Amino acid sequence: MHDLAATLRSKGIEFPEQCRVFEVCNPQQAATVLRADMALNMALPCRISVYTEAGKTRIGMIRPAAMLSALSSDPELAEVARQVEASTMAIIQAAVED
C-alpha cells in the first residue's frame, strides 16, 4: 500500500486529499505475463486506488484488459488480463457493498 498523500505531505507539499494505492497481484498470472513478455513488468502489479475528491471517497483502477491490449496482441495474455480484471472488479464491488 502506498499512501501518496502522506508522501506528498512528508515532502512539505500541501495536499488536502487522501490517496492510497493498493498493489494486488496473483503470482501465477503475473508469471504468465512475464514469461510471455518481460517488458510487460511495467504493467504489474494491478493497482486499486482509494482516494478522496471534493469530499467524496472514490475507488478506481486502470482496467487490466484495456491496458494489456494496448501493450500486447497475445491472445493468452488478453485472457489473463480479463481474469485479473474480473477478480479486481469483484474486490472493488465487495468493498463498495460493505
Side-chain angles (χ1 to χ4, degrees), residues 40-92:
L40 294 175
N41 71 76
M42 294 166 268
L44 301 175
C46 292
R47 291 166 178 83
I48 297 172
S49 179
V50 180
Y51 60 99
T52 59
E53 185 175 50
K56 290 187 177 184
T57 300
R58 302 190 182 272
I59 301 174
M61 68 176 219
I62 294 174
R63 293 184 176 266
M67 180 175 50
L68 211 54
S69 71
L71 301 171
S72 172
S73 60
D74 185 325
E76 181 183 359
L77 296 183
E79 180 55 31
V80 169
R82 281 191 289 278
Q83 292 171 5
V84 168
E85 187 168 312
S87 298
T88 308
M89 291 300 294
I91 291 168
I92 291 171

Side-chain angles (χ1 to χ4, degrees), residues 24-51:
V24 295
C25 180
N26 177 304
Q28 283 108 2
Q29 290 170 323
T32 299
V33 170
L34 295 174
R35 277 194 291 271
D37 185 347
M38 268 306 289
L40 294 175
N41 71 76
M42 294 166 268
L44 301 175
C46 292
R47 291 166 178 83
I48 297 172
S49 179
V50 180
Y51 60 99

